[in-house]
Amino acid sequence: MAFLEVEDGKRVYYEHHAGAGRPVVLVHGWGVTSRCWDTTLPALLAAGHAVVTLDHRACGRSDKDFTDTSIAAIASDVVAIVEHLGLRSPVLNGWSLGGAVATEAAARLGSNLAGLVLTGGATPRYTSAEGWPYGGTPADVEGVLAGLAADRASTFRAVAGAVCVKPVGADVVESMWLQFMESGPKADLTLRDLAGIDQRDVLPTLACPVLLLCGREDGFVSFDGVAASRTLFRDARLVEFGGCGHAPFLEDGDTYRAELLAFLGGLAG
């Protein structure tokens, strides 16, 4: 475990697990922590990959009192960690809001990127807009934030309970709730920022191969939106997880890990 100072003495928590294979950077979803990858990380390590995880600003073990908790700021942290560790041609894997973070970081990394994986990724938009009829509205997001302001614990428990469609067990849901409860109020601003993010102009600029992994019954990120995003990338493949919700790595872990490892194994260089 380590910390990287990224803004005015504030620190981001990260872990760098050594491996001889392709480096993989795992970027978690809104409000949770890098512990959400606890069933993905061992499979990557067993396959020989180097793996980096991090906790977003105001989440987990990172400092909570950042001034800037925007998508762009968190993406800059991902890039800073990649550069700090000297990672060559890594693959970024972003879940949910982490998909928007990973997409922004991918654009900044440019040629020093081997591939991009989006797991229920909230890109190019999380909310609907002209020419993009997928997702909810900024008002929906404000409703969640109002719930957090009134009763953070109960609101996060409801969110944790809605992540998965397939039964994953009470312990898994409790784990997600406890991760949510480690976030500070500044993390709420990251979700508000996501409501206005539009990356439709970014996706076509990414030259690397892209793997889209999404649950058909995802209640947070529109599956139809993910399917539509495939055509905006130069080189993307979509894997549909039937009967799964927002966390296919938890709901159908065997298939998820097999698809992820096959994608990594198929990359050139």
Side-chain angles (χ1 to χ4, degrees):
M1 58 179 285
F3 293 89
L4 186 68
E5 184 177 320
V6 294
E7 177 193 276
D8 299 331
K10 304 298 188 299
R11 303 183 306 164
V12 164
Y13 171 85
Y14 72 94
E15 298 176 8
H16 181 205
H17 301 268
R22 174 86 58 188
V24 181
V25 182
L26 300 174
V27 185
H28 67 73
W30 170 66
V32 293
T33 79
S34 55
R35 293 280 68 82
C36 73
W37 298 113
D38 278 354
T39 57
T40 304
L41 175 59
L44 291 170
L45 295 179
H49 294 283
V51 184
V52 175
T53 63
L54 69 149
D55 288 349
H56 294 184
R57 297 181 180 207
C59 294
R61 283 157 284 190
S62 292
D63 288 336
K64 304 300 188 293
D65 53 346
F66 277 94
T67 301
D68 186 355
T69 56
S70 65
I71 300 293
I74 299 171
S76 73
D77 297 339
V78 173
V79 173
I81 291 171
V82 168
E83 294 176 345
H84 175 71
L85 295 174
L87 302 182
R88 299 182 61 183
S89 298
V91 169
L92 306 183
N93 182 356
W95 174 39
S96 191
L97 177 146
V101 172
T103 298
E104 173 65 21
R108 298 188 188 197
L109 287 169
S111 60
N112 187 32
L113 186 70
L116 175 65
V117 180
L118 297 172
T119 301
T123 185
R125 290 193 59 90
Y126 182 60
T127 56
S128 59
E130 183 177 355
W132 192 259
Y134 312 105
T137 68
D140 297 330
V141 172
E142 291 302 322
V144 173
L145 298 179
L148 291 173
D151 184 347
R152 196 168 186 85
S154 297
T155 300
F156 268 142
R157 187 174 286 279
V159 173
V163 169
C164 297
V165 170
K166 283 190 175 182
V168 293
D171 290 342
V172 173
V173 176
E174 182 81 0
S175 171
M176 283 190 286
W177 178 66
L178 292 173
Q179 289 176 52
F180 278 124
M181 290 305 297
E182 289 188 58
S183 68
K186 289 291 186 70
D188 302 3
L189 303 181
T190 312
L191 182 61
R192 178 174 286 137
D193 186 48
L194 180 67
I197 290 289
D198 194 323
Q199 297 177 322
R200 281 179 283 182
D201 291 340
V202 176
L203 304 194
T205 69
L206 301 178
C208 65
V210 177
L211 177 64
L212 304 171
L213 303 166
C214 190
R216 191 64 182 85
E217 309 303 322
D218 194 324
F220 291 86
V221 172
S222 164
F223 176 84
D224 290 341
V226 172
S229 75
R230 184 184 61 81
T231 64
L232 299 179
F233 291 103
R234 299 188 197 180
D235 178 11
R237 184 171 71 91
L238 171 63
V239 177
E240 174 183 337
F241 287 79
C244 288
H246 193 44
F249 54 93
L250 297 176
E251 298 171 80
D252 187 358
D254 288 343
T255 303
Y256 179 87
R257 291 185 288 272
E259 291 286 354
L260 177 58
L261 291 173
F263 175 75
L264 295 171
L267 294 173

